[in-house]
């Protein structure tokens, strides 16, 4: 067999091994190593190299190389092959170059800075270089082989190298396709995750394009505004969401660094007003709006403002009265009768002040769930007496006929509740005011009735709310905090009882409290 001749079976086996490697390996570097090794071996080259271009994640092309026949370290110090006269035909894809003795080639040694091989490079005389093409005939790399003796490579080697170059091209492209597929999959997964996040997030998210048309309306946006995605998507937001135009200009639109949200009202379809805390983030195609329903917080805030207003007003009145009376006593030194009256003013107002402070404290304890009650047997008569003893009014009648079973709860708290109801009846109702206690099925029922104007049905629940005061009484200048009935309800509920009101317009009002009967254990 002549030098350079290769048995058909060896050729076939080599090509088969290369083809298998291309088919089996997903890792590009493993495949190109097989390609380079096999070609180097079959051509009898002393060294072979495969220079190829790949794309990084940002789509930038960069070069890698595989070496065969010599340790990789020997090449590490060398520059990548440049577009010199010798390399150009390969990198431009002009064709295969097979040179008997490269040092004798007229193109050799013409390029600075080395004018030949870089110092330390293996001596090369036989030279074989094959371009590697991609599917659309662009050059994606080159296979290079060298030998220190001249005339080593034959036309058969050339053909084999060309055949293997085809596989090398397939290998590089396959790897790039796999990488692209992988990154597309990751991106698709990330998008799917983002879509799920938009579905479940509690904030309303709306994407409005630069034409003002709604492109995304997540479920939270539907819940908050009461507008279905189907009714909003594809329509200008100003038309689809009534009231949007009025607030749009006041929504802060930032870039990626989120803006500070503003709180603005929006009418929902059901005629309810929701308060939204919202902001927008501009992006190239429009604006993403994020909003959250802060109606409850706002209600609490305005309630808190009311509390401060009511309490400070209620505090100021007795403080002013005490101050005025004390000052008059000191400066004017009035006669004995006037002095007695002023001292009484001080006493009454100070008591009122103390009661007010007690109510505020008790309310805050109730709200913080820091109130402790005892659960014991209550004698209903004693409870009613304790509640009415302070209210020296000729208008007050206590009606306790017959035997009444003991109730279960906190005696002192029950008296406090009943005293409050009596005080209200005397203040807001008209006499006579009657207090009764009696057995009622498995409970003990207490009632405080007055003969006043009564309470309209629509207000009968609301009067138990914290700080709620009826307009008529506010206008009449009657003093109060709106805490009394709230405290009553909370205390009764904590004693496992019920509280309620029955009222007929113009005929009077009956507040009732039912406590469970005390069952001796
Ligand atoms: P306050 O008496 O401090 O205002 P309450 O919570 O005890 O607070 O009562 C709430 C409101 O309910 C009162 O402001 C008053 O308008 C109304 N109210 C309470 N009791 C009666 C009653 N017997 N008749 C009519 N209105 C009442």
């Amino acid at each position: 067999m002549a030098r350079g001749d290769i048995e058909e079976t060896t050729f076939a086996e080599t090509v088969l091994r290369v083809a298998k490697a291309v088919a089996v390996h997903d890792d590009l570097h493993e495949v190109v190593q097989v390609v380079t090794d096999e070609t180097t071996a079959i051509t009898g080259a002393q060294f072979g190299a495969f220079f190829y271009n790949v794309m990084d994640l940002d789509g930038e092309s960069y070069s890698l190389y595989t070496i065969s026949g010599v340790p990789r370290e020997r090449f590490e110090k060398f520059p990548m092959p440049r577009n010199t006269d010798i390399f150009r035909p390969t990198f431009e894809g002009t064709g295969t170059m097979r040179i008997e003795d490269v040092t004798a080639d007229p193109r050799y040694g013409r390029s600075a800075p080395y004018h030949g091989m870089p110092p330390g490079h293996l001596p090369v005389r036989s030279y074989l270089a094959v371009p590697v093409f991609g599917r659309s005939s662009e050059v994606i790399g080159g296979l290079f082989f060298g030998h220190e003796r001249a005339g080593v490579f034959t036309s058969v080697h050339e053909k084999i190298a060309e055949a293997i170059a085809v596989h090398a091209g397939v290998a590089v492209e396959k790897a790039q396709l796999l990488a692209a597929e992988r990154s597309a999959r990751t991106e698709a997964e990330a998008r799917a995750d983002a879509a799920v996040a938009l579905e479940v997030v509690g904030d309303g998210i709306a994407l409005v394009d630069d034409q003002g048309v709604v492109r995304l309306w997540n479920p939270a946006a539907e819940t908050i505004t009461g507008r279905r995605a189907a009714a909003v998507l594809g329509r200008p937001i100003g038309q689809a969401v009534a009231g949007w135009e009025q607030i749009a200009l006041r929504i802060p639109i930032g870039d990626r660094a989120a803006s500070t949200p503003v709180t603005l009202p929006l009418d929902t379809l059901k005629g309810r007003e929701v308060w939204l805390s919202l902001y927008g983030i501009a992006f190239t195609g429009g604006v993403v709006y994020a909003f959250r329903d802060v109606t409850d917080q706002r209600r609490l805030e305005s309630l808190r403002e009311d509390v401060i207003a009511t309490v400070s007003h209620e505090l100021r009145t007795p403080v002013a009265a005490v101050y005025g009376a004390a000052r008059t006593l000191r400066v004017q030194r009035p006669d004995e009768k006037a002095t007695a009256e002023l001292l009484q003013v001080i006493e009454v107002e100070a008591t009122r002040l103390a009661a007010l402070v007690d109510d505020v404290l008790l309310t805050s304890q109730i709200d913080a769930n820091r109130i402790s009650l005892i659960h014991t047997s209550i004698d209903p008569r004693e409870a009613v007496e304790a509640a009415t003893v302070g209210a020296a009014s000729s208008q007050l009648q206590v009606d306790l006929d017959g035997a009444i079973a003991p109730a279960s709860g906190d005696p002192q708290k029950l008296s406090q509740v009943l005293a409050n109801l009596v005080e209200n009846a005397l203040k807001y109702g008209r006499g006579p005011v009657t207090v009764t206690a009696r057995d009622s099925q498995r409970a003990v029922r207490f009632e405080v009735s007055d003969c006043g104007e009564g309470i309209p049905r629509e207000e009968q629940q609301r009067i138990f709310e914290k700080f709620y005061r009826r307009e008529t009484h506010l206008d009449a200048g009657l003093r109060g905090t709106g805490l009394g009935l709230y405290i009553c309800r909370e205390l009764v509920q904590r004693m496992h009882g019920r509280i309620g009101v029955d009222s007929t317009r113009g005929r009077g009002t009956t507040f009732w409290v039912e406590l469970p009967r005390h069952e001796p254990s």
Side-chain angles (χ1 to χ4, degrees):
M1 199 170 49
R3 199 162 59 107
D5 289 347
I6 297 163
E7 276 195 36
E8 275 179 19
T9 46
T10 317
F11 176 32
E13 278 166 11
T14 303
V15 175
L16 187 65
R17 275 199 300 275
V18 169
K20 260 194 189 158
V22 171
V24 170
H25 289 298
D26 279 347
D27 184 80
L28 177 62
H29 307 291
E30 282 178 36
V31 185
V32 293
Q33 189 65 57
V34 173
V35 169
T36 318
D37 288 346
E38 291 287 355
T39 331
T40 306
I42 202 164
T43 56
Q46 276 178 319
F47 81 89
F50 179 24
F51 288 89
Y52 56 100
N53 297 324
V54 289
M55 298 280 185
D56 66 14
L57 286 175
D58 296 328
E60 292 284 323
S61 164
Y62 67 105
S63 298
L64 289 175
Y65 65 101
T66 317
I67 308 281
S68 190
V70 285
R72 199 177 166 90
E73 304 85 75
R74 293 222 43 182
F75 268 80
E76 236 127 55
K77 289 192 212 69
F78 297 124
M80 285 283 169
R82 296 162 305 134
N83 209 0
T84 59
D85 287 353
I86 288 284
F87 293 125
R88 188 172 300 122
T90 311
F91 288 125
E92 287 183 356
T94 317
T96 304
M97 278 179 73
R98 180 164 60 88
I99 306 172
E100 297 277 300
D101 183 353
V102 76
T103 57
D105 193 280
R107 291 166 291 190
Y108 180 78
R110 295 187 31 187
S111 297
Y114 304 115
H115 299 284
M117 255 145 322
H121 198 286
L122 294 168
V124 174
R125 295 185 81 181
S126 289
Y127 177 82
L128 175 63
V130 190
V132 173
F133 295 101
R135 257 180 316 172
S136 40
S137 309
E138 78 287 9
V139 181
I140 52 178
L143 279 162
F144 299 86
F145 305 95
H147 201 289
E148 62 188 350
R149 273 202 324 275
V152 168
F153 303 125
T154 66
S155 61
V156 177
H157 294 138
E158 192 180 314
K159 290 287 163 253
I160 292 175
E162 282 174 354
I164 292 179
V166 173
H167 288 287
V170 173
V172 173
E173 286 223 322
K174 178 186 160 197
Q176 286 184 343
L177 282 175
L178 277 176
E181 194 188 306
R182 227 171 276 142
S183 87
R185 211 180 305 137
T186 323
E187 197 174 315
E189 279 165 9
R191 276 177 194 278
D193 289 347
V196 170
L198 280 178
E199 289 291 306
V200 299
V201 75
D203 284 7
I205 306 285
L207 195 152
V208 177
D209 70 14
D210 44 18
Q211 305 297 309
V213 173
V214 183
R215 295 291 167 206
L216 188 146
W217 193 253
N218 76 341
E222 292 186 325
T223 315
I224 294 170
T225 64
R227 268 154 242 246
R228 316 280 311 158
V232 174
L233 289 176
R235 293 180 58 199
I237 188 158
Q239 284 175 20
V241 183
W244 185 268
E245 272 174 351
Q246 283 89 302
I247 62 167
L249 287 175
R250 293 162 65 194
I251 304 173
I253 312 270
D255 48 21
R256 267 167 190 272
S259 332
T260 316
V262 288
T263 302
L264 297 168
L266 185 81
D267 291 327
T268 63
L269 276 188
K270 292 186 187 117
R272 196 170 65 93
E273 187 183 61
V274 286
W275 282 83
L276 303 181
S277 161
L278 33 61
Y279 63 91
I281 297 174
F283 70 107
T284 38
V287 177
V288 176
Y289 292 97
F291 46 92
R292 141 179 325 191
D293 188 345
V294 290
T295 316
D296 287 346
Q297 278 111 294
R298 247 197 88 85
R299 201 174 292 141
L300 273 182
E301 250 163 57
S302 72
L303 193 65
R304 211 169 289 142
E305 283 161 17
D306 289 354
V307 174
I308 293 168
T310 314
V311 171
S312 45
H313 177 260
E314 287 302 314
L315 284 174
R316 193 173 296 139
T317 318
V319 166
V322 170
Y323 173 79
R327 196 177 155 77
T328 312
L329 282 172
R330 187 174 65 79
V331 177
Q332 297 181 1
R333 301 203 173 276
D335 62 26
E336 204 173 318
K337 184 166 168 275
T339 300
E341 279 169 12
L342 287 168
L343 285 172
Q344 199 191 350
V345 167
I346 292 177
E347 194 183 326
V348 168
E349 295 298 331
T351 310
R352 201 193 295 272
L353 203 53
L356 177 69
V357 172
D358 282 349
D359 276 1
V360 172
L361 275 177
L362 191 54
T363 302
S364 80
Q365 278 174 352
I366 287 170
D367 290 349
N369 220 357
R370 271 192 292 109
I371 180 156
S372 55
L373 281 84
I374 55 169
H375 293 276
T376 184
S377 170
I378 304 174
D379 178 344
R381 286 168 196 282
E382 282 176 18
V384 170
E385 271 157 30
T388 49
V389 72
S393 168
S394 56
Q395 296 293 312
L396 191 60
Q397 293 174 8
V398 176
D399 186 357
L400 297 166
D401 278 347
I404 314 162
S408 162
D410 186 321
Q412 191 258 323
K413 296 285 189 289
L414 173 64
S415 294
Q416 188 176 343
V417 169
L418 296 176
N420 199 294
L421 298 178
V422 169
E423 194 190 317
N424 278 357
L426 290 170
K427 182 156 70 166
Y428 303 111
R430 197 173 342 108
V433 169
T434 316
V435 185
T436 63
R438 63 183 157 87
D439 287 342
S440 160
Q441 290 169 341
R442 296 174 60 85
V444 181
R445 185 173 169 111
F446 301 85
E447 287 183 358
V448 179
S449 309
D450 65 61
C451 304
E453 280 304 302
I455 302 170
R457 180 168 291 276
E458 60 278 11
E459 282 187 290
Q460 291 179 6
Q461 284 301 315
R462 300 210 64 192
I463 52 172
F464 291 97
E465 287 173 14
K466 209 193 290 182
F467 295 108
Y468 187 80
R469 303 199 63 216
R470 292 183 52 216
E471 210 66 47
T472 42
H473 298 136
L474 277 174
D475 293 347
L478 287 174
R479 287 157 66 176
T481 55
L483 289 175
L485 289 177
Y486 169 75
I487 292 172
C488 288
R489 186 188 66 187
E490 294 299 311
L491 292 178
V492 169
Q493 284 177 353
R494 281 169 173 75
M495 288 189 273
H496 312 299
R498 302 191 306 145
I499 186 168
V501 61
D502 299 323
S503 185
T504 315
R505 254 233 154 105
R507 289 237 214 110
T509 306
T510 297
F511 280 90
W512 54 264
V513 172
E514 279 183 1
L515 287 188
R517 209 180 272 179
H518 181 72
E519 308 288 353
S521 47

